[in-house]
Amino acid sequence: MDRIENHPILGETPKRKKVTFTYNGKILEGYEGEPIATALKAAGVMVHRYTAKTHEPRGVFCAIGRCTDCVMIVDGKPNIRTCITPLKTGMVVQTQYGVLEAPQM
């Protein structure tokens, strides 16, 4: 996983509990309490949703919960801002297509 373990200003990252969660049916690992978006980025996931009208991919943009580019379906609820939502064990995370969980053809 790609993670900053020792930041020049913030210092060392404290040890955390590893948890598993599901992303589009695939089991991934992350650290409990970190933003869902961080765990996804560490696993190489960059696209979180596709826009409703033009089906363009979106991912993390602001990373502070102000925009909606990182929204995904989390535990069955759409429009969850993954950049500010803490990861918990067993979460089910899905790519969001507009406001749905499957692309419209």
Side-chain angles (χ1 to χ4, degrees):
M1 289 189 214
D2 292 333
R3 296 181 186 278
I4 297 172
E5 297 296 332
N6 193 349
H7 191 275
I9 296 172
L10 302 175
E12 282 192 45
T13 301
K15 297 294 180 201
R16 300 166 287 176
K17 178 183 172 186
K18 264 192 181 178
V19 296
T20 59
F21 67 103
T22 304
Y23 162 70
N24 288 346
K26 181 178 178 184
I27 296 175
L28 299 179
E29 287 185 331
Y31 292 101
E32 186 174 61
E34 74 179 345
I36 296 168
T38 301
L40 291 170
K41 166 89 171 66
V45 177
M46 300 299 290
V47 175
H48 293 206
R49 71 177 184 96
Y50 290 88
T51 59
K53 291 183 182 180
T54 58
H55 309 290
E56 294 175 336
R58 295 289 187 259
V60 176
F61 179 70
C62 76
I64 59 170
R66 301 291 288 171
C67 74
T68 58
D69 279 352
C70 71
V71 297
M72 299 181 84
I73 299 168
V74 178
D75 293 335
K77 296 178 187 172
N79 301 317
I80 301 298
R81 291 183 168 122
T82 60
C83 70
I84 60 171
T85 303
L87 183 66
K88 297 177 189 168
T89 190
M91 279 184 152
V92 177
V93 179
Q94 297 169 269
T95 301
Q96 187 165 315
Y97 298 89
V99 293
L100 305 171
E101 62 184 72
Q104 297 297 298
M105 299 296 169

